[in-house]
Amino acid sequence: AEFVNNNRLLHHINVNNVMLAYWRGDYISAEKSSHVAWKYPTAKMPTIVLIYHTFYGGLIAFKLFRTMGGVDGNKRLMEGRELMIAMGKWAQNSMAVFGNKWLLLSAEHSASIHEHDKCKKLYKASIKIAQDHGNIHELGLANQLFGNYCLSHECGVDANSCLKKAYTYYTQWGATAVAEKILRHHKLDLHTGDNTDLQVGSSKRSR
């Protein structure tokens, strides 16, 4: 029992490191922690830790595939795709919990393989489900990733509008450091353009 508990603790620590590194923008460290975490026997246990490991692991794989490519490129694309498919299976049981995560992974996958029309629809669908269910931090994340995509592709959407919404949602979620990082990096002017009118209230969720 002690061995199992130690393995579970080390597994959870590594998954936590995945998420911390992701939000810092250190995707290489996030990937390393993710690969270590998958080696633990508790890695596939059906817990909330598995949900977040699958979600962030997929985002990281697609991000590094697009930005680094190289010898590991196809491996990363396949890894991301496998995690996206796993999330899709869970979404069949509960779109409210898993739908926006699955759609966001699907959008990142489509962006990675240049399915540009498809990925725009997927980003928007992920944002809609997250907003319908008040999933505030993933509203921020989906808008940020969509905004980043629109900065480098013509998608008929104002990238700065998406990034401003990401800033607002992250601020409402309490992730002020993430919000300020977006503000500085993109030199956003919050006094121009539209903004979000989502009222968090009791609908604020993080899952």
Side-chain angles (χ1 to χ4, degrees):
E2 183 178 353
F3 175 77
V4 173
N5 287 335
N6 286 340
N7 270 312
R8 184 181 293 115
L9 177 60
L10 290 171
H11 169 237
H12 288 189
I13 288 171
N14 275 282
V15 173
N16 189 58
N17 288 340
V18 171
M19 294 187 288
L20 289 174
Y22 179 87
W23 287 111
R24 288 198 309 268
D26 186 356
Y27 304 111
I28 295 294
S29 294
E31 182 183 56
K32 289 178 180 178
S33 293
S34 178
H35 289 169
V36 170
W38 285 123
K39 294 178 180 179
Y40 287 96
T42 54
K44 296 298 179 69
M45 291 179 62
T47 66
I48 192 170
V49 178
L50 176 60
I51 296 169
Y52 279 108
H53 190 188
T54 300
F55 182 50
Y56 284 96
L59 292 177
I60 292 159
F62 292 136
K63 173 70 174 180
L64 290 177
F65 170 76
R66 292 201 303 273
T67 57
M68 298 189 67
V71 177
D72 294 325
N74 286 337
K75 291 181 181 178
R76 285 170 172 144
L77 183 62
M78 290 302 297
E79 178 183 356
R81 186 174 181 274
E82 288 173 5
L83 297 173
M84 174 192 73
I85 290 171
M87 190 67 73
K89 291 178 179 177
W90 299 337
Q92 291 176 5
N93 295 319
S94 178
M95 284 295 287
V97 175
F98 303 107
N100 71 289
K101 296 177 179 67
W102 168 53
L103 290 166
L104 189 54
L105 287 175
S106 299
E108 289 286 284
H109 175 256
S110 290
S112 298
I113 60 175
H114 309 295
E115 294 179 341
H116 298 302
D117 289 338
K118 183 177 180 180
C119 82
K120 288 183 286 184
K121 294 176 182 177
L122 289 166
Y123 281 124
K124 292 176 182 178
S126 177
I127 289 168
K128 184 179 187 305
I129 290 181
Q131 186 154 15
D132 287 347
H133 296 282
N135 200 346
I136 192 76
H137 80 291
E138 285 170 17
L139 260 174
L141 181 56
N143 274 285
Q144 180 185 4
L145 294 179
F146 191 24
N148 288 341
Y149 173 81
C150 289
L151 284 174
S152 54
H153 299 86
E154 177 56 48
C155 57
V157 174
D158 181 7
N160 281 342
S161 176
C162 292
L163 294 167
K164 288 176 187 178
K165 289 178 181 179
Y167 169 87
T168 301
Y169 288 126
Y170 283 143
T171 301
Q172 291 176 346
W173 182 40
T176 54
V178 177
E180 291 298 325
K181 184 178 179 181
I182 291 175
L183 193 66
R184 291 194 307 272
H185 181 75
H186 296 288
K187 298 180 175 62
L188 298 178
D189 182 358
L190 298 179
H191 301 292
T192 62
D194 55 73
N195 211 327
T196 178
D197 59 357
L198 178 71
Q199 297 299 314
V200 180
S202 61
S203 68
K204 179 179 178 180
R205 298 187 183 95
S206 174
R207 59 172 178 240

